[in-house]
């Protein structure tokens, strides 16, 4: 917003001004500050406005200032400030006469949790928000809660419920007058969800509604300031582009991008970065790879400001496809390897359960109406069933005689078919037994690769176990005792089954060979990585913890390559985490040291332990892991492993194992004097 007076002039007027005019001046000063990049100044101006509203006991201005503060934090990714202030702000807003400000403030808290990956906390806030709106009979609050629900379902890729939630939000909020200012944003998120699920035909239909809504909305709300209107229109044109690209209507997509460009001020705005991506995508689909590359490069340069894993993957995938089109296959392969290790599974089973429960509560009002309709439908259905049953009985009586005659003829044919079936079953059984036999042999070979004879020395107590989830697995452990040097490792290969077992065997063989050269753990990891990256067309990798203990001193040298932190003295050891092994060649891995691990058990494991799930999909968890190890009296390394295996079995309670389980326990014993 632009004013004739600049901020300095406005501040000069403050000492001579009081009452509503002073609030008006402070609001103008704050709005002027938004045109700068000085966040500290923006916050200072906002707190001046909030303090004055409170001094004058102006409830409306205080509530509006609280909402503006949350918007400022939200737009600048200050999530910690949102988590700190909004719960307290809501207590003020809920007691005020301005409940719409309350629900707008609340949805920003919900979105902050959801978009930062904390869906569980976000869902809890949605539930509280919806309950509050139901109690106050606020359609606006319920509409905003549906909006939050749509965002949560989108993060979980639950597309049916996502669409339903966004539709309900738009329906409820569109009926409000004046219409909610967040409606353009809801359309935008709805469009993105349809694009993510590949429902381009539905997205094309949505854009027709979207355009009609925008025309009315901008006119109704008298949005004379161009900035917001431009943002709304840019969202709309980008959504049209997504639909046209998905449907292969490339000429129309180009026209939509041209329309979007008219409403975008710069490349480094969010809308500008999105435009760059889809312009490059259009050129990619037109096979104009050389023209697409600089646009993608510019988009990658601007990407660091927005910490969004989905955007990160999409931009790099686009670049990999461009490189393939240009014949630069090595660069494309490197980009695909980078994307391979990113895990986009962001939600636990508990979150899904809570989401389903919450959605059921959202449907309560509709369910009561449906029950009344269902009662009437059942009366009709029962009558139809009775009539149909009578007709079927008569029909069956007429056909019974015919079937009896046919049955005699079929009996002879069935006898012949049965003989054929027996022969096929015999062949199938033989093949199945052969496969099972080969898998048993493979399991025996794999289990024979991990050591079963553990050191029998007074200064070393070592034991380990590996339990594959399938016939063969991808976990590994190994150790070598070379004079007074003990090398050991625990690893977890990506995936399960035969491919993982082959990769595991290669990693184990290489570790043993490198340890015999008396290399340090970081050097072993670096050499392992170089070897395993060669010809790794499937993009497999292994997380590993590699250790070397000097037995006389108890000093541990180690390198952690993306693996779970071991437990020492009842706590996870702090450490730097290198990348997993096998993804990127020419990496130099970093090693670390613990001065003395003597006379305390050192416990290493794979995620088949802490992520073991029971039938309710509840994980064993890090907290339970530490608690059991702290409570467990140490008798020997073997006893520790066996007791932990028993604890996991009790937790899982017969559920199918979801991952391989490997554990190694080590205790160095010496009687050296304490320094």
């Amino acid at each position: 917003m632009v004013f004739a007076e600049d901020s300095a002039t406005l501040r000069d007027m403050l000492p001579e001004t009081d009452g509503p005019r002073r609030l008006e001046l402070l609001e103008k000063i704050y709005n002027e500050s938004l045109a700068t990049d000085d966040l500290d100044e923006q916050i200072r101006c906002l707190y001046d406005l909030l303090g004055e509203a409170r001094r004058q006991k102006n409830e409306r201005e205080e509530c509006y200032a609280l909402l503006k503060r949350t918007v400022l934090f939200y737009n600048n990714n200050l999530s910690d400030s949102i988590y700190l202030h909004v719960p307290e702000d809501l207590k003020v807003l809920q007691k005020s006469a301005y409940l719409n400000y309350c629900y707008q403030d609340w949805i920003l808290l919900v979105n902050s949790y959801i978009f930062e990956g904390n869906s569980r906390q976000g869902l809890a806030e949605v539930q509280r928000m919806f309950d509050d709106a139901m109690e106050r009979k606020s359609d606006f609050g319920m509409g905003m809660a549906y909006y939050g629900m749509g965002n949560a379902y989108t993060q979980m890729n639950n597309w049916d419920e996502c669409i339903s939630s966004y539709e309900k939000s738009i329906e409820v909020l569109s009926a409000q007058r004046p219409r909610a200012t967040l409606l353009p944003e809801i359309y935008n998120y709805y469009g993105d969800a349809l694009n993510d699920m590949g429902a381009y035909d539905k997205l094309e239909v949505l854009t027709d509604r979207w355009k009609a809504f925008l025309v009315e909305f901008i006119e109704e709300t008298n949005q004379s300031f161009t900035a917001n209107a431009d943002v709304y229109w840019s969202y709309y044109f980008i959504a049209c582009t997504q639909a046209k690209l998905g449907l292969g209507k490339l000429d129309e997509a180009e026209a939509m991008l041209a329309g979007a460009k008219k409403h975008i001020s710069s490349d480094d705005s969010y809308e500008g970065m999105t435009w760059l991506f889809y312009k490059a995508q259009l050129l990619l689909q037109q096979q104009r790879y050389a023209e697409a590359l600089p646009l993608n490069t510019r988009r990658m340069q601007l990407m660091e400001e927005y910490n969004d894993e989905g955007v990160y993957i999409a931009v790099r995938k686009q670049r990999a496809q461009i490189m393939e089109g240009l014949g630069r296959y090595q660069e494309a392969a490197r980009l695909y390897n980078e994307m391979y290790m990113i895990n986009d599974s962001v939600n636990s089973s508990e979150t899904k359960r809570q989401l389903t429960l919450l959605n059921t509560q959202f449907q309560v009002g509709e369910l009561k109406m449906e029950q009344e309709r269902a009662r009437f439908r059942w009366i009709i259905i029962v009558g139809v069933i009775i009539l149909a049953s009578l007709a079927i009985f008569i029909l069956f009586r007429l056909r019974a005689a015919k079937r009896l005659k046919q049955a005699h003829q079929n009996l002879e044919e069935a006898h012949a078919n049965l003989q054929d079936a027996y022969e096929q079953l015999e062949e199938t059984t033989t093949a199945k037994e052969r496969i099972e036999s080969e898998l048993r042999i493979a399991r025996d070979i794999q289990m024979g690769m991990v050591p079963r004879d553990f050191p029998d020395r007074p200064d070393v107590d070592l034991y380990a176990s590996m339990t594959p989830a399938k016939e063969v697995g991808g976990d590994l452990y190994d150790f070598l005792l070379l004079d007074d040097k003990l090398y050991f490792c625990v690893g977890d290969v990506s995936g399960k089954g035969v491919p993982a077992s082959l990769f595991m065997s290669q990693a184990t063989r290489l570790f043993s060979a490198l340890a015999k050269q008396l290399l340090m753990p970081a050097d072993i990891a670096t050499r392992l990585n170089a070897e395993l990256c060669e010809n790794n067309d499937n993009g497999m990798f292994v997380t590993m913890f590699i250790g070397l203990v000097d037995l006389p001193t108890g000093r541990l040298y180690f390198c952690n390559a993306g693996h779970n932190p071991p437990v020492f003295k009842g706590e996870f050891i702090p450490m730097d985490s290198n990348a997993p092994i096998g993804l990127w060649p020419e990496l130099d891995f970093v090693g670390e040291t613990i001065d003395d691990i003597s006379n305390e058990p050192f416990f290493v494991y794979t995620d088949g332990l802490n992520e073991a799930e029971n039938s309710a999909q509840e994980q064993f968890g890090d907290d339970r892991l530490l608690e059991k190890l702290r409570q467990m009296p140490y008798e020997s390394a073997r006893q520790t492993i066996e007791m932990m295996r028993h604890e996991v079995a009790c937790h899982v309670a017969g559920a199918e194992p979801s991952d391989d389980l490997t554990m190694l326990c080590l205790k160095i014993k010496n009687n050296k004097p304490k320094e």
Side-chain angles (χ1 to χ4, degrees), residues 521-530 542 559-562 577-584 586-591:
D523 296 326
I524 292 176
T526 300
R527 297 274 293 275
L528 263 174
N529 183 67
V542 56
C559 177
N560 182 60
S577 182
N578 297 280
I581 292 171
L583 284 176
W584 298 294
E586 301 179 3
L587 283 182
D588 289 326
F589 285 72
V590 177

Side-chain angles (χ1 to χ4, degrees), residues 173-184:
L173 294 177
S174 294
Q176 301 289 302
R177 289 297 181 273
R179 292 195 241 197
T181 56
L182 277 177
L183 269 169

Side-chain angles (χ1 to χ4, degrees), residues 457-461 551 598-599 634 667-671:
R457 289 177 47 155
D459 56 347
V460 179
D461 182 15
L551 298 181
S598 301
N599 304 316
Y634 184 86
K667 186 174 181 180
I668 306 303
K669 305 175 183 177
N670 64 45
N671 298 315

Side-chain angles (χ1 to χ4, degrees), residues 341-352:
M341 66 177 292
I342 298 176
N343 180 6
D344 61 357
S345 165
V346 301
N347 295 282
S348 66
S349 56
E350 171 60 24
T351 300
K352 294 179 182 177

